[in-house]
Amino acid sequence: MIDEVVLGLFRAPHSHTSENVVEISCHASSYIINRMLQILLQQGARLAKAGAFTLRAFVKGKMKLSQAEAVADLIASETQAAHQVAMRQLRGGVSQEIAALRQRLIDFAALVELELDFSEEDVAFADRRQLTALLHEILQTIERIKSTFALGNALKNGIVTVLAGRPNAGKSTLLNALLQEERAIVSPVAGTTRDTIEETLNIEGVAFRLIDTAGIREAGDQIEALGIQKTFDKVKNAAILLYVFDGGEQSAADLAADLEKLHHGNLQVVVVVNKMDLLAARSDLSAATLQLQAGGEGVTWVYTCAQSGEGLEALKTAIYDTAFTPAARQAVAGSDTLWCNTRHIEALSQAAAALQAALHCIGSGNSGELLALDLRQALHYLGTVSGEVSTEDLLESVFSRFCIGK
Ligand code: GDP
């Protein structure tokens, strides 16, 4: 006697994998589990590899590859937004549109292939005008999908948000206040945050990956210099910069100089004027003149007192609004599929290149053989999205992301 268990029997095809399945629910002792596994293995059972059950469900045609990937995303989702993106993908929306277009392309490709059999006779079964229109239609669809990727990816993986500013501006205090915990070291000694700290802040169900950085100034030593260099690296990869301005003593000129140094193409900037309690007491600078003197077009301004917590709600709203344009907010709230998988986007890019080559072939009146080759390539890449076309390597890389037992 090892344990008293519950056996659940799922008869084919009414199981996740469409096969006969027995599930054993036992008590959660690692001794019991190991003992039972030993016995089952002695009786000829095999241990499942990562994702083995979802792979079987895919092979049995119960789900598309993109849906299987959505299962992995669902398991990994930690916020409402990530869950929602995975759920929409699981419902199959992602690949349906592509599969339909691919089917239409298959019909044309078959005609082009047929022409090759009659190459001596110089016939064209596939109407080049209609084919060209279809190729454009698919390319446009791919472009549209690619344009939603940034949003889907941000919802799935979180939005990289970097806190930067001069030493002692209050970055660490602000981070702790936002997270409502003592995560970063707060100290009146400048230059104490030397490494970067990353924490997730959830605003309205979306993950913002807040990264606290070393203060920007002339480094006092080598370690601090490395920290400052890291700050610049982090800002380079960020979507949002929260520049923390020290309302107690910083000048508008310093702010303008730092923004100039940190800015890059896709960066959204929020200037957090912290220590507003001290700013109010200053004779040299007021909130109004600060904005005028520092300039910074397209920058959002928020005033906080990190110590008392004043302005924090406004800051969270500003972060959220900076990340999402009204159109993006609508997309988040809507039910359309948001593409968020890098593998899909890469496959679509490859398909787009092949489609462009096919268009070029038609335009320059190249032989049908080259056109057929480009179409085959495009069909291959389009097919890998939902898994109509799959190779062992592809399946291996998709399912190895799963955990054992899924
Ligand atoms: P960091 O170097 O930018 O991370 O700055 P810290 O968060 O370590 O803060 C530096 C000092 O400023 C600490 O003594 C904080 O208590 C203080 N401080 C932070 N926020 C405020 C604020 O809003 N008002 C005032 N008066 N002091 C603050």
Side-chain angles (χ1 to χ4, degrees), residues 319-340:
I319 295 173
Y320 189 87
D321 290 349
T322 303
F324 299 112
T325 59
R329 251 170 282 167
Q330 223 167 23
V332 176
S335 59
D336 284 354
T337 305
L338 294 167
W339 293 65
C340 60

Side-chain angles (χ1 to χ4, degrees), residues 237-293:
N237 295 318
I240 300 177
L241 166 67
L242 299 184
Y243 183 92
V244 184
F245 177 84
D246 187 338
E249 53 185 36
Q250 201 177 337
S251 73
D254 284 347
L255 167 61
D258 285 356
L259 287 185
E260 170 102 25
K261 265 189 260 172
L262 292 166
H263 204 274
H264 63 74
N266 299 322
L267 190 70
Q268 306 280 355
V269 180
V270 177
V271 174
V272 186
V273 181
N274 190 37
K275 306 193 190 178
M276 60 193 259
D277 49 317
L278 300 183
L279 178 69
R282 270 168 82 167
S283 55
D284 64 318
L285 190 69
S286 69
T289 51
L290 172 63
Q291 284 197 31
L292 275 179
Q293 288 176 21

